[in-house]
Amino acid sequence: MKKMILAFIAFITVTAVQAQENNAQGNSERRGMDRTEMTKRRTDDAVKKYGLNDDQAAKLLALNTKYADKMGPGRGGMRGGRGMRPRPDFGNGQQGERPQMTDEQREQFAKARQEREEATKQYEAELQQILTPEQYKAYQADQEAMRKNFGRRGQGGPRGGRRNNSENSQQ
């Protein structure tokens, strides 16, 4: 009986280690991609999702490549992306305090946001010339759904997370 229990524990341990290694390899593959590969992958995803033909796919790849650097880290495709950006250093605030931005930093952030918004408008105007009206409408619906769900992460949204207290108290 002890041998069976030990064998079972060994099996579980080996399985867990392999699962962790597989997960780590998948993450490193995504992180190891350069911008060109990410742009190509996002374009391919959009081709499949919206049913683009070969001519549309080539134009979309050119468009995504053109805007890959203009729309910020993690962008360069129709999905937008939420690349992790380093947090700006606002000074030496005490732990638990919210750091304060200087006026110069606020101006820089506002300018960068305005540039991204302008690039997004230009991108979408050019994208509208590539897609059919039905495809563009589907793209807009996906973008709107993504905007709505963006702030819900970690709050019981589609990715799970906490439930609000009223749901917990009823269970």
Side-chain angles (χ1 to χ4, degrees):
M1 183 71 175
K2 286 184 181 180
K3 288 182 181 180
M4 283 180 46
I5 292 172
L6 288 175
F8 181 71
I9 291 172
F11 174 75
I12 296 294
T13 304
V14 169
T15 304
V17 168
Q18 286 177 341
Q20 287 178 348
E21 287 175 0
N22 290 341
N23 190 21
Q25 286 175 350
N27 289 340
S28 66
E29 286 175 9
R30 278 182 260 143
R31 286 187 196 130
M33 275 194 227
D34 66 359
R35 188 173 297 277
T36 304
E37 292 175 70
M38 284 299 288
T39 302
K40 176 91 172 91
R41 175 180 267 178
R42 288 188 176 136
T43 301
D44 291 344
D45 290 346
V47 168
K48 291 176 190 170
K49 186 171 191 172
Y50 301 111
L52 277 58
N53 62 36
D54 292 340
D55 184 48
Q56 288 175 312
K59 289 178 182 178
L60 179 61
L61 179 60
L63 180 66
N64 288 344
T65 302
K66 175 181 174 182
Y67 282 93
D69 293 327
K70 295 180 182 180
M71 295 172 75
R75 303 220 178 222
M78 296 179 71
R79 291 172 40 199
R82 293 179 191 93
M84 293 301 292
R85 299 178 186 151
R87 291 182 59 108
D89 181 17
F90 297 125
N92 295 328
Q94 296 294 321
Q95 185 171 352
E97 288 183 17
R98 186 174 184 164
Q100 298 297 315
M101 289 196 305
T102 65
D103 289 339
E104 181 181 339
Q105 289 170 324
R106 280 191 194 97
E107 289 174 17
Q108 289 174 347
F109 281 123
K111 182 180 177 187
R113 183 175 61 209
Q114 184 178 7
E115 288 172 359
R116 283 190 309 272
E117 288 173 359
E118 288 173 10
T120 300
K121 286 179 185 176
Q122 292 170 354
Y123 174 86
E124 291 188 353
E126 292 182 45
L127 179 64
Q128 194 170 7
Q129 300 301 314
I130 296 171
L131 302 179
T132 65
E134 294 81 20
Q135 291 167 334
Y136 188 71
K137 189 174 183 178
Y139 163 76
Q140 286 180 313
D142 289 343
Q143 292 298 304
E144 185 61 31
M146 187 170 40
R147 283 185 200 105
K148 284 182 181 178
N149 288 329
F150 181 71
R152 295 180 59 190
R153 291 183 292 162
Q155 297 177 0
R159 294 186 177 182
R162 299 182 306 260
R163 294 179 183 220
N164 78 33
N165 290 334
S166 63
E167 289 177 17
N168 288 337
S169 62
Q170 293 174 359
Q171 293 178 356

